[in-house]
Amino acid sequence: MSAAVLPSAVAPAPRAWRTDLPVLLVAVVWGSSYLAAHGITTARTVIAVLVLRFAIVLPVLVAAGWRRLRALTTAQWRGAGLLGLVLSGIFLLETYGLVHTSATNAGLIISLTMVFTPLAEALVTRTRPAAGFLTAAGLSLAGVVLLTQGGGFTAPSGGDLLMLLAALARTVHVLAMARVTSVRDADSLSLTTVQLGSAVLVFAVLAAAPGTGPAPWTVAAGFGAAEWAGLLFLAVFCTLFAFFVQMWSVRRTSPSRVSLLLGTEPLWAAVVGISLGGERLGPLGVAGALLVLAGTAWGRYAADRKPRQKAAPVPVTTA
């Protein structure tokens, strides 16, 4: 997923590529996750696929961080659980959105989180964003308008609108992580585990409700080798691998450098969607994609130049 805006990057240390390469690989697999999820999910199997994906991940996270989980206070459990409810909404919006739009559109539209987050923070703190950042935000939004047009000017698809809502929900999640006081000092692995556990609980309740599609085990029984490969890719690489690489990398480089590398996610989403998924943007779509990439990069740079009291935490989950 797209990383939150963090402070300015420091100069890389010698042989920094040894740290940068795994982080860049996380951005690549995150960008690839949209096509992978698109390929194994239908409108009727969204909830079942979410249950299966995180049911694979959760036991590993619990086993890896059992001692630290037991050390969490009641307030930290409650705060992380609340954040998990927001996270479940993000995954539902993203996955339903993916079903109804292209992987390329999904990856580019969701990158607007990098623009929405500083705007929302400015609104909350009642500070005026820099003029350069506002220009970048306008550029990104104009790019999304063009991106969703395809061959002509039409209303955006339902999937495009859901991805836009998911970007807004991600913004809420990032701001909440910075402002829920009970989780500020919580161990990151434990915080992630409780959030995902809360999300899985929401998905399981929805899966048990009538009219929400086939049961997870029914969907799993119908998966072939390709579908299982896609599901394991989402669970193992896009979640477990991505999280542990982030934990490893932030101890060896600056958080802002990690954020900068993870910010290439929408570029990889477009590359994978077009090259492997056979998606086509058309002239308007290409222009829109370029505007989104330029606007989010410019917005990140403009936001990083402004002094900030506290860096926003980096989300550790993805679409």
Side-chain angles (χ1 to χ4, degrees), residues 241-258:
F241 170 76
F243 174 74
F244 286 109
V245 165
Q246 286 181 91
M247 287 190 65
W248 171 81
S249 63
V250 294
R251 296 186 178 99
R252 291 164 175 79
T253 186
S254 67
S256 54
R257 188 165 182 82
V258 174

Side-chain angles (χ1 to χ4, degrees), residues 101-312:
T101 190
S102 67
T104 303
N105 276 24
L108 290 165
I109 293 172
I110 205 69
S111 71
L112 289 176
T113 304
M114 291 184 283
V115 173
F116 289 161
T117 300
L119 285 176
E121 189 172 25
L123 182 64
V124 170
T125 58
R126 298 183 180 181
T127 57
R128 181 178 177 83
F133 181 83
L134 291 175
T135 304
L139 196 67
S140 297
L141 292 174
V144 168
V145 172
L146 291 177
L147 178 68
T148 60
Q149 297 313 302
F153 286 98
T154 60
S157 71
D160 294 331
L161 293 176
L162 286 172
M163 295 308 299
L164 191 60
L165 289 174
L168 292 170
R170 282 194 185 192
T171 298
V172 171
H173 186 254
V174 172
L175 293 181
M177 286 181 69
R179 285 164 175 77
V180 176
T181 56
S182 62
V183 302
R184 286 181 182 173
D185 299 323
D187 170 68
S188 57
L189 175 57
S190 301
L191 179 60
T192 300
T193 303
V194 176
Q195 287 188 78
L196 287 181
S198 299
V200 169
L201 181 60
V202 171
F203 302 146
V205 170
L206 291 176
T212 55
W217 51 85
T218 302
V219 173
F223 274 178
E227 288 81 7
W228 274 109
L231 182 66
L232 291 174
F233 174 77
L234 291 171
V236 175
F237 288 96
C238 299
T239 306
L240 288 177
F241 170 76
F243 174 74
F244 286 109
V245 165
Q246 286 181 91
M247 287 190 65
W248 171 81
S249 63
V250 294
R251 296 186 178 99
R252 291 164 175 79
T253 186
S254 67
S256 54
R257 188 165 182 82
V258 174
S259 177
L260 179 66
L261 292 166
L262 294 180
T264 63
E265 175 195 347
L267 174 62
W268 298 112
V271 168
V272 171
I274 293 170
S275 61
L276 299 182
E279 298 175 354
R280 296 291 180 268
L281 290 178
L284 288 178
V286 170
L290 293 175
L291 285 178
V292 170
L293 292 172
T296 52
W298 185 6
R300 178 188 294 275
Y301 174 75
D304 286 352
R305 292 189 63 188
K306 184 178 179 180
R308 299 172 60 125
Q309 294 180 342
K310 182 179 177 71

